Amino acid sequence: MEKEDNLLISSLAEYLTCIAEKRGTQFHSRTTNYKPIYRGQAKQSWCIEPAVYRCGRFEREGNYIRELERLQPEAFASMSRIEKLIKMQHYGLPTRLLDFTCNALVALYFACCSEQDADGVVYELHAFPLYHQDFVWVSIVMKYIFEFSRLPFAPASMIDELKREFSQYPPRGVESFYEEQSIRKILCSPLGLYPHFSNGRIKSQEGVFIIAGMEIREENRDGLLFVKQSYQNIAELWPASRSILIPAGQKQRLLRELEEIGFHKGRLFPELEAQAGYVTEYIDRLA
């Protein structure tokens, strides 16, 4: 059943067919990968937003990061800022990293694995641009998060520091962003991230991220005041997209079909705790 490019599916076969019929374009440039990415949400009604944008946490973003790094400095030694943020997200700290995957079956699992009484959804984004971890836009966003997230924000101060910090931000890489409009654009744009497979979970789930953007709420003599960006409709985030709706009554069937082809908790969560939980659930079902 199709309506305004939203699909309603009830079986794995239907899901695979609709993915195959609109298989996304993939192409690459020196800094960017353009490819289809997917996000599974167990409740269609949830906003599309990362954890630190929920529950009034947005203005405390920098506090979470600084306090965790203060308490566990050895855990983040010799890591870049984006590597730190990915590791913090992995261990449950609320960040502005929004989870996506390059694997449509992984997204379907997450749309079905919880909230059994609610309809789920898989969001498919076509040819979304994903940048490598060392891309200059990523570095500039990380600089804002780690150093400037206490409001208000003065773009001129960041530009002055970018010019001085030659070792981290060589002029050849950032000189085109030495003006305020460019900095505003970078901070207000959702930014796709193609991460290194730095932990087993990202590798198992073929994970990618979107670094959520912001909007300017106010500008005064002290600088810019930001508010979070969140979306009810995936087309607001990326126009070339669609929603694949998962009825609540079909979630258990879809989970069984996914398990038959090897997509289950034990595969997607390689940590020992998750493995033990999957084994327990599996054996109990057989009893």
Side-chain angles (χ1 to χ4, degrees), residues 14 33 42 57 60 65 70 113 161 194 219 223 238 262 286:
E14 288 181 8
N33 295 273
R57 292 170 170 160
R60 303 193 291 272
I65 292 170
R70 183 187 73 83
C113 68
E161 292 192 14
Y194 205 41
E219 183 174 359
W238 189 246
L286 295 178

Side-chain angles (χ1 to χ4, degrees), residues 36-108:
I37 61 174
Y38 309 87
R39 175 175 171 82
Q41 290 193 176
K43 291 184 75 170
Q44 182 192 3
S45 60
W46 285 340
C47 287
I48 306 164
E49 59 184 10
V52 83
Y53 283 16
R54 305 170 200 157
C55 307
R57 292 170 170 160
F58 173 67
E59 293 185 358
R60 303 193 291 272
E61 178 181 29
N63 296 338
Y64 295 126
I65 292 170
R66 284 185 288 272
E67 184 65 7
L68 183 57
E69 197 167 9
R70 183 187 73 83
L71 293 172
Q72 296 289 330
E74 68 285 349
F76 304 102
S78 303
M79 300 178 73
S80 70
R81 285 172 171 170
I82 186 59
E83 290 169 340
K84 291 178 182 179
L85 202 67
I86 290 171
K87 186 172 183 176
M88 290 174 178
Q89 163 110 342
H90 175 74
Y91 284 103
L93 193 78
T95 78
R96 67 171 64 192
L97 298 177
L98 188 62
D99 289 297
F100 278 78
T101 175
C102 295
N103 192 313
L105 294 173
V106 173
L108 180 61

Side-chain angles (χ1 to χ4, degrees), residues 108-121:
L108 180 61
Y109 172 85
F110 283 106
C112 296
C113 68
S114 63
E115 305 290 342
Q116 296 301 309
D117 295 328
D119 293 342
V121 62

Side-chain angles (χ1 to χ4, degrees), residues 193-254:
L193 179 67
Y194 205 41
H196 299 160
F197 284 169
S198 55
N199 62 63
R201 185 180 298 183
I202 292 178
K203 186 173 183 178
S204 297
Q205 297 176 9
E206 299 183 45
V208 296
F209 301 104
I210 290 180
I211 307 172
M214 302 179 293
E215 295 179 0
I216 298 172
R217 184 186 73 194
E218 180 184 339
E219 183 174 359
N220 57 44
R221 64 181 184 181
D222 296 320
L224 306 177
L225 300 177
F226 289 112
V227 293
K228 67 180 185 179
Q229 277 182 6
S230 61
Y231 310 94
Q232 284 288 350
N233 187 323
I234 192 64
E236 297 173 3
L237 172 61
W238 189 246
S241 61
R242 61 176 175 168
S243 302
I244 302 172
L245 309 180
I246 316 297
Q250 300 299 327
K251 285 185 175 182
Q252 286 299 320
R253 173 187 175 178
L254 287 162

